[in-house]
């Protein structure tokens, strides 16, 4: 994403009309009087409306603070926030991808929240999530706003007809299940969405094999380890032997029609299966992903929320972000997101899953999976490397490249971008 800096900076004036705070090169001092803050919320309009409802609730106990939530799309949200960060002019608060805080903070566009007493927020966030959004130097420019991860969706009746007693719990059980589903006449026994045929779902296999992208201290890439080779070999096998589609699919439709027996997909899918495909209600279940030789492991994504460095109201902005971790805020967001989007709001506080509007089976799968999540790397250069790593992984499937060779080439790219 950092490669877009020059291009976006050239058009920085295009969003000048959206600004609400000053444009000074240095962070402004706290302005006097009531605070009116603009919050750019990346995502759908309905999601922004849910956060506006939360902001309105916050105002009831903080009458001197007004927060106006504006939706920005994922398509151009990164470019808009990058322009705001470099021009020091734009919203007061932003949400965005998990790496956005580190990226924009390093450009001087966001406040280091460590200077604003966020110990309580850190303590309520899963350590692996906190690690992913913390800069290598320890700075925290954005805290977790919501989480999303992978789950295994399946049709118990189709598995039973194929002689499978339940969802696969290990890699061996997974491949056995795929064999049996194909033998039972299901041509596409499984689909894999959420970054289909890219590094994201492959990352699950990497963690389950005990591998990593980088050393813990970010000193070098470790993507070419024996564990990574094992992960890549098995990840590729689902495409080459079992016909898992390389393009994204409508998992709900395929499960409803009986075209798929299983689907690895995002956690948000649980909220739309019944409403989008009422004919499948009561006929599907969800489980954690199968474990590998090193145990369970699941990539976690989601959004961060942080404060822009030039805001006139840093104290009020940070206070609102801290409040988003409160019981009252999360309860409000769970209700509003579900009512406006039909979706589950997965807060950074895993213990609050029990208050979600969903079944006990779904809650159990969510809670179990939350114990195994790992976020994206926070190492320098990963944003530049991700797309090239995906190409190297794809070459194993598309061109028959030896996994060790492909991963060694990926490691070279990653190490070059570390410099």
């Amino acid at each position: 994403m950092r490669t877009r800096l020059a291009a976006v900076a050239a058009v920085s004036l295009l969003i000048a009309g959206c600004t609400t705070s000053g444009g000074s090169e240095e962070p402004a001092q706290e302005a006097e009087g009531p605070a009116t803050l603009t919050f750019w919320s990346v995502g759908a309009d309905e999601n922004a409306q849910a956060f506006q409802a939360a902001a309105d609730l916050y105002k009831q106990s903080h009458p001197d603070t007004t927060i106006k939530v504006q939706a920005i799309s994922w398509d151009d949200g990164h470019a808009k926030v990058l322009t705001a960060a470099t021009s020091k002019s734009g919203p007061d608060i932003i949400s965005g991808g998990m790496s956005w805080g580190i990226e924009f903070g390093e450009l001087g566009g966001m406040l280091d929240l460590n200077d604003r007493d966020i110990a309580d927020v850190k303590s309520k966030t899963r350590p692996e999530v906190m690690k992913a959004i913390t800069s290598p130097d320890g700075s925290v420019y954005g805290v977790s706003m919501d989480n999303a991860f992978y789950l295994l969706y399946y049709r118990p009746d189709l598995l039973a007809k194929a002689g499978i007693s339940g969802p696969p719990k290990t890699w061996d059980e997974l491949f056995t299940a795929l064999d049996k589903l194909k033998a039972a006449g299901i041509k596409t026994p499984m689909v894999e969405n959420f970054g289909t045929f890219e590094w994201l779902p492959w990352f699950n296999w990497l963690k389950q094999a005990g591998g990593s992208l980088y050393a813990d201290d970010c000193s070098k890439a470790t993507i070419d380890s024996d564990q990574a080779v094992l992960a890549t070999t098995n990840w590729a096998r689902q495409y080459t032997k079992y016909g898992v589609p390389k393009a994204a699919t409508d998992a709900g439709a395929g499960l409803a029609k009986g075209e798929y027996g299983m689907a690895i997909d995002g956690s948000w899918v649980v909220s739309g299966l019944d409403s989008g495909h009422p004919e499948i209600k009561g006929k599907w279940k969800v489980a954690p992903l199968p474990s590998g030789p090193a145990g369970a492991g699941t990539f976690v994504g989601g959004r961060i929320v942080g404060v822009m460095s030039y805001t006139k109201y840093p104290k009020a902005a940070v206070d609102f972000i801290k409040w988003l971790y409160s019981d009252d805020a999360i309860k409000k967001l769970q209700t509003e997101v579900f009512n406006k989007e039909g979706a589950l709001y997965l807060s950074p506080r895993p213990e609050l899953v029990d208050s979600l509007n969903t079944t006990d089976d779904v809650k159990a799968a969510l809670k179990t999976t939350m114990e195994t999540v790992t976020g994206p790397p926070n190492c320098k250069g990963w944003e530049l490397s991700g797309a090239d790593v995906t190409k190297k992984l794809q070459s194993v499937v598309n061109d028959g490249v030896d996994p060790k060779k492909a991963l060694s080439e990926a490691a070279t790219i990653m190490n070059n971008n570390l410099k």
Side-chain angles (χ1 to χ4, degrees):
M1 290 182 181
R2 295 184 178 91
T3 58
R4 303 186 212 176
L5 175 57
V8 176
V11 295
S12 61
L13 294 179
L14 291 180
I15 63 166
C18 300
T19 62
T20 61
S21 298
S24 64
E25 289 298 318
E26 299 296 330
Q29 297 298 315
E30 191 80 25
E32 296 181 0
T36 297
L37 308 174
T38 296
F39 176 8
W40 280 0
S41 175
V42 67
D45 289 341
E46 293 82 2
N47 191 262
Q49 292 167 13
F51 274 86
Q52 184 62 65
D56 293 342
L57 177 63
Y58 176 79
K59 184 174 176 60
Q60 292 180 20
S61 56
H62 299 77
D64 287 339
T65 302
T66 300
I67 299 170
K68 299 178 180 179
V69 184
Q70 299 175 2
I72 59 174
S73 73
W74 282 104
D75 291 339
D76 62 359
H78 180 274
K80 285 185 174 181
V81 178
L82 177 55
T83 301
T86 55
S87 68
K88 301 296 190 295
S89 180
D92 303 275
I93 301 169
I94 65 101
S95 69
M98 288 184 72
S99 64
W100 289 19
I102 296 174
E103 180 182 4
F104 301 136
E106 289 177 351
L107 293 174
M110 299 185 71
L111 293 180
D112 183 356
L113 299 176
N114 283 322
D115 300 330
R116 303 283 171 165
D117 188 21
I118 57 167
D120 186 59
V121 168
K122 287 183 176 181
S123 70
K124 292 177 179 177
T125 306
R126 288 210 61 80
E128 286 291 341
V129 174
M130 202 66 233
K131 178 181 178 181
I133 60 179
T134 300
S135 295
D137 66 2
S139 301
V140 178
Y141 299 105
V143 295
S144 182
M145 190 170 85
D146 53 18
N147 292 165
F149 41 79
Y150 290 87
L151 294 169
L152 178 69
Y153 299 82
Y154 65 99
R155 286 276 302 267
D157 56 335
L158 297 181
L159 267 60
K161 288 180 181 179
I164 305 165
S165 60
K169 294 183 174 63
T170 65
W171 284 4
D172 287 343
E173 289 183 10
L174 173 64
F175 290 123
T176 297
L178 294 178
D179 282 326
K180 290 183 176 181
L181 287 168
K182 285 186 73 73
I186 297 179
K187 294 181 179 180
T188 307
M190 187 176 77
V191 297
E192 189 176 65
N193 292 321
F194 184 6
T196 304
F197 201 41
E198 296 181 359
W199 72 268
L200 281 168
W202 164 85
F203 187 83
N204 297 327
W205 297 79
L206 178 67
K207 296 305 297 183
Q208 293 156 13
S212 61
L213 289 168
Y214 295 93
D216 287 342
D217 61 358
C218 292
S219 60
K220 65 176 181 178
T222 55
I223 195 174
D224 55 348
S225 66
D226 290 343
Q227 294 91 339
V229 171
L230 177 65
T232 305
T233 300
N234 284 279
W235 168 80
R237 184 179 170 192
Q238 64 182 334
Y239 298 104
T240 56
K241 182 176 180 179
Y242 297 103
V244 170
K246 299 176 186 176
T249 63
D250 185 338
L255 288 169
K257 296 175 183 177
E259 295 174 348
Y260 313 146
M262 299 182 290
I264 294 176
D265 213 326
S267 51
W268 60 86
V269 174
V270 297
S271 57
L273 274 178
D274 286 345
S275 59
H277 306 281
E279 69 275 20
I280 202 179
K281 189 172 183 178
K283 296 182 180 180
W284 63 275
K285 286 187 177 294
V286 64
L289 298 187
S291 296
T298 308
F299 174 85
V300 61
R303 295 176 293 178
I304 58 95
V305 57
V307 179
M308 303 306 284
S309 61
Y310 51 76
T311 179
K312 294 178 180 178
Y313 305 103
K315 182 177 180 181
V318 173
D319 187 71
F320 174 67
I321 287 176
K322 292 179 182 178
W323 178 82
L324 287 175
Y325 273 69
S326 69
D327 290 354
D328 288 344
I330 292 172
K331 181 179 179 180
K332 184 67 172 178
L333 286 167
Q334 287 176 339
T335 301
E336 294 294 331
V337 170
F338 187 83
N339 290 342
K340 289 181 169 62
E341 297 184 88
L344 298 182
Y345 173 71
L346 298 181
S347 85
R349 294 177 55 188
E351 76 275 14
L352 296 183
V353 167
D354 283 328
S355 59
L356 289 169
N357 185 7
T358 189
T359 66
D360 289 341
D361 286 345
V362 169
K363 291 176 184 178
L366 292 172
K367 286 192 286 187
T368 299
T369 300
M370 281 181 169
E371 295 293 328
T372 69
V373 298
T374 300
N378 62 355
C379 300
K380 181 181 178 182
W382 174 246
E383 289 291 334
L384 293 174
S385 304
D388 289 326
V389 169
T390 286
K391 291 178 182 177
K392 295 302 179 181
L393 294 171
Q394 291 174 343
S395 71
V396 176
V397 177
N398 293 337
D399 308 313
V401 175
D402 179 74
K404 181 65 176 180
K405 180 176 184 296
L407 294 173
S408 295
E409 292 172 350
T412 298
I413 293 169
M414 294 162 64
N415 284 326
N416 287 338
N417 287 333
L418 272 172
K419 299 175 182 176

